[in-house]
Amino acid sequence: DLQVSGRQLKTHDLMALASSGFGQTNLTQFDSRGTVELSGFIKGALNSRHGPEVDLAFVLTRGSLSHPSLRVDVKDMSFSGRLESGSKSSLVLENIVASQNDRTIKANLSIDDLGNPSINLRANGRVGLATLVAFMPGEHFSDAKGHVEMRNLELQIGRAHV
């Protein structure tokens, strides 16, 4: 079992550490700034049949994320979040505030069952299409121009039903 606690952690250090867990995506290619406070625990064994129980709470302040070739430039980012896994897996980001091109974006995001996700997003603000495309998996979109204006957007993407 491991108890985790950190203050004034730097996002670029955490991105480098997390990058190894994202397969093809190299998070170190993003220029990230900001400070993270983190607390929680990792409990149990990690083997081919089971993963440990994870419960991490975190807060990001004074964050920014950019990638010149993907045209991602998000500034003044802050949010609080919680990552849980074990019998229940979820990621919750609350009170997300960021700016892009001097426009404020506010949102809340929750993803339940990370293995077969159900996504809930509430958002207000304007975001560049190039930024959205940069985070989409696959190669279906190669170039995007323009913006998406979100006013009281509520997006729910449910689990795939067989």
Side-chain angles (χ1 to χ4, degrees):
D1 295 353
L2 178 64
Q3 190 73 27
V4 180
S5 180
R7 291 180 178 225
Q8 296 187 356
L9 303 170
K10 301 300 178 195
T11 57
H12 61 275
D13 294 335
L14 294 173
M15 296 267 286
L17 182 63
S19 186
S20 62
F22 282 88
Q24 302 272 339
T25 304
N26 185 353
L27 297 177
T28 59
Q29 294 175 353
F30 287 88
D31 180 24
S32 64
R33 302 276 185 254
T35 304
V36 176
E37 293 197 19
L38 172 72
S39 65
F41 64 84
I42 302 171
K43 187 184 296 187
L46 172 63
N47 57 46
S48 61
R49 293 183 357 194
H50 296 91
E53 180 183 350
V54 175
D55 187 343
L56 298 174
F58 48 91
V59 176
L60 170 72
T61 56
R62 297 183 309 277
S64 67
L65 184 67
S66 63
H67 192 296
S69 65
L70 295 177
R71 296 188 316 239
V72 172
D73 189 18
V74 180
K75 299 177 180 175
D76 304 320
M77 192 171 20
S78 64
F79 57 81
S80 60
R82 183 173 211 107
L83 173 66
E84 297 177 303
S85 69
S87 61
K88 170 187 162 188
S89 61
S90 66
L91 173 65
V92 176
L93 301 179
E94 295 179 320
N95 301 315
I96 301 167
V97 177
S99 68
Q100 184 180 42
N101 300 324
D102 298 321
R103 300 272 184 137
T104 299
I105 303 160
K106 295 182 179 184
N108 288 298
L109 172 70
S110 66
I111 305 172
D112 292 319
D113 189 357
L114 299 176
N116 185 17
S118 173
I119 301 169
N120 293 297
L121 171 69
R122 292 177 184 231
N124 285 290
R126 181 177 172 175
V127 64
L129 285 173
T131 300
L132 294 176
V133 167
F135 292 100
M136 290 181 177
E139 298 176 7
H140 303 291
F141 303 98
S142 59
D143 192 26
K145 292 179 174 54
H147 296 88
V148 173
E149 185 78 33
M150 300 171 289
R151 294 186 186 131
N152 299 315
L153 173 72
E154 290 190 34
L155 176 65
Q156 297 179 340
I157 302 173
R159 292 177 182 86
H161 298 287
V162 178

